[in-house]
Amino acid sequence: MMPPSMEGFKPFGIPMRNLESVVLLFEEYEAIRLTDYENLTQAQSARRMNVSRPTFTRIYEKARKNIAKAFVEGKAILIQGGHYITDGFWYRCCDCNEVMITLKPIKHCRKCGSENIIQLNEHLYNV
């Protein structure tokens, strides 16, 4: 699973402060990415996400409903949170928007050197 290259989307021309939002969980984003962007079947996507086919279908349907709600009701989409396991640490630089995946924690952006970075995921250690 890779982090999305953006934090979300918003309707054109409306300031974020004037918008309500819906949350698209990281696993919902991944379900959409695998099925609709990479054109995998739901069974193939479920295997890639290491979940059962019925679980994948529930994740995918929830993602589609959240996206439809945002489009129809003019809401922003925030991509964050959820239940997932990664092998690395995900970061985004708040100054240059670089998305970084590392095996160890970092304190500086590898592109611009800024310390203004945020961790996008909670790293789960195998103990």
Side-chain angles (χ1 to χ4, degrees):
M1 182 174 183
M2 298 289 292
S5 59
M6 77 312 267
E7 296 177 42
F9 290 93
K10 70 176 199 70
F12 180 76
I14 303 172
M16 191 65 188
R17 67 182 172 275
N18 296 341
L19 289 171
E20 291 183 29
S21 60
V22 297
V23 173
L24 189 67
L25 301 176
F26 281 124
E27 65 264 25
E28 295 167 355
Y29 165 83
E30 183 71 354
I32 294 290
R33 187 185 72 77
L34 292 171
T35 304
D36 297 329
Y37 182 75
E38 290 194 12
N39 295 316
L40 299 180
T41 66
Q42 287 192 16
Q44 292 168 323
S45 297
R47 282 192 295 278
R48 289 270 293 270
M49 289 179 64
N50 199 28
V51 297
S52 70
R53 176 67 179 6
T55 296
F56 177 83
T57 299
R58 284 190 295 277
I59 293 167
Y60 181 67
E61 289 300 317
K62 187 169 180 256
R64 290 181 61 216
K65 288 185 186 295
N66 281 334
I67 292 168
K69 181 176 186 165
F71 284 174
V72 171
E73 297 178 15
K75 295 183 178 195
I77 299 171
L78 302 177
I79 304 170
Q80 60 189 2
H83 301 287
Y84 54 91
I85 297 174
T86 65
D87 292 332
F89 296 85
W90 297 353
Y91 294 96
R92 175 175 286 112
C93 177
C94 296
D95 292 331
C96 73
N97 290 318
E98 176 77 1
V99 174
M100 300 161 279
I101 302 171
T102 64
L103 295 176
K104 296 179 181 178
I106 61 171
K107 296 188 182 205
H108 299 89
C109 174
R110 65 179 171 211
K111 184 176 179 184
C112 73
S114 172
E115 292 183 9
N116 191 13
I117 61 173
I118 57 171
Q119 187 171 348
L120 300 173
N121 68 332
E122 289 185 32
H123 189 74
L124 304 175
Y125 293 96
N126 293 327
V127 181

